[in-house]
Amino acid sequence: MKLCEHAVLMAGYNRWMNDKIYAAAARLPHEALSEDRGAFFGSVLGTLNHLLAADLIWLHRFASYHPTRFEALDPIRNIAPPTAIDQQLHDRLAPLQVQRSELDARIEDWAGCLTDADLDQVLVYANTKGVVSHRDFGGLLMHFFNHQTHHRGQVTTLLTQAGVDVGATDLLLLLPQHAPD
């Protein structure tokens, strides 16, 4: 599988998992979602906010600094990104879920437009502390999707501890079966 195809697969996995996690989280009251459970970002709601903030920060970098200037990311480029990875964008699940769903659709559209030439670029960007980096865009893309998976795993654990089962989460479930030779 080529890296561009992998990006499309991961964008679909991202949406599928976010839909599952938000459906599971909706079964809990607000107090349980905002309870500090000792995770990196405290609560289920804090971790979901972190995921959204980090995705917006990365997508803004991709939209603003990549030479292709991806048209699918125009709406991202035209808004100010979050200023911190722990920024609380929403204090309630419903508006967070709406923005997450809209962003996931944009990620899928964008991933479908990526080319091998896009992935072979070096992206020059500054992090939220102003530290400048020069990194392979293909590697940054893999980090982008891996980061989502990492923190969704934390959310899955937090939900399980709160008594809510998210269900199967394996990427394997989205891989197509091939007919035997």
Side-chain angles (χ1 to χ4, degrees):
M1 177 182 298
K2 292 185 175 188
L3 192 52
C4 287
E5 293 168 356
H6 187 67
V8 170
L9 174 66
M10 293 306 294
Y13 177 71
N14 173 61
R15 176 193 279 279
W16 178 68
M17 278 304 305
N18 283 334
D19 288 348
K20 288 173 67 84
I21 282 179
Y22 276 88
R27 298 195 308 247
L28 290 174
H30 175 72
E31 296 74 26
L33 292 173
S34 56
E35 179 184 335
D36 188 338
R37 298 179 182 275
F40 292 160
F41 297 94
S43 64
V44 170
L45 203 55
T47 306
L48 293 175
N49 266 287
H50 165 68
L51 273 166
L52 184 61
D55 281 1
L56 286 167
I57 289 167
W58 276 112
L59 290 169
H60 193 272
R61 291 172 186 157
F62 299 162
S64 300
Y65 304 118
H66 193 283
T68 300
R69 310 240 341 136
F70 306 107
E71 185 178 325
L73 297 180
D74 281 350
I76 305 288
R77 183 177 19 265
N78 296 326
I79 60 169
T83 56
I85 61 171
D86 61 351
Q87 186 172 335
Q88 185 176 22
L89 302 173
H90 300 283
D91 63 356
R92 294 284 180 181
L93 185 66
L96 189 62
Q97 184 173 11
V98 168
Q99 189 175 8
R100 175 82 261 172
S101 182
E102 290 170 357
L103 190 62
D104 288 346
R106 182 141 329 276
I107 291 168
E108 282 188 306
D109 290 346
W110 168 67
C113 298
L114 292 171
T115 67
D116 290 337
D118 294 332
L119 300 178
D120 288 337
Q121 298 291 322
V122 172
L123 191 74
V124 180
Y125 65 93
N127 68 14
T128 57
K129 294 181 176 27
V131 177
V132 175
S133 292
H134 299 74
R135 298 190 190 256
D136 175 70
F137 180 69
L140 290 173
L141 183 64
M142 292 303 98
H143 166 74
F144 174 74
F145 288 121
N146 187 64
H147 178 263
Q148 295 167 342
T149 301
H150 166 70
H151 286 295
R152 276 195 304 263
Q154 291 176 332
V155 172
T156 300
T157 298
L158 297 176
L159 290 170
T160 300
Q161 290 171 348
V164 177
D165 181 14
V166 174
T169 62
D170 290 332
L171 176 64
L172 176 67
L173 297 172
L174 298 184
L175 296 177
Q177 285 277 1
H178 292 278
D181 291 335

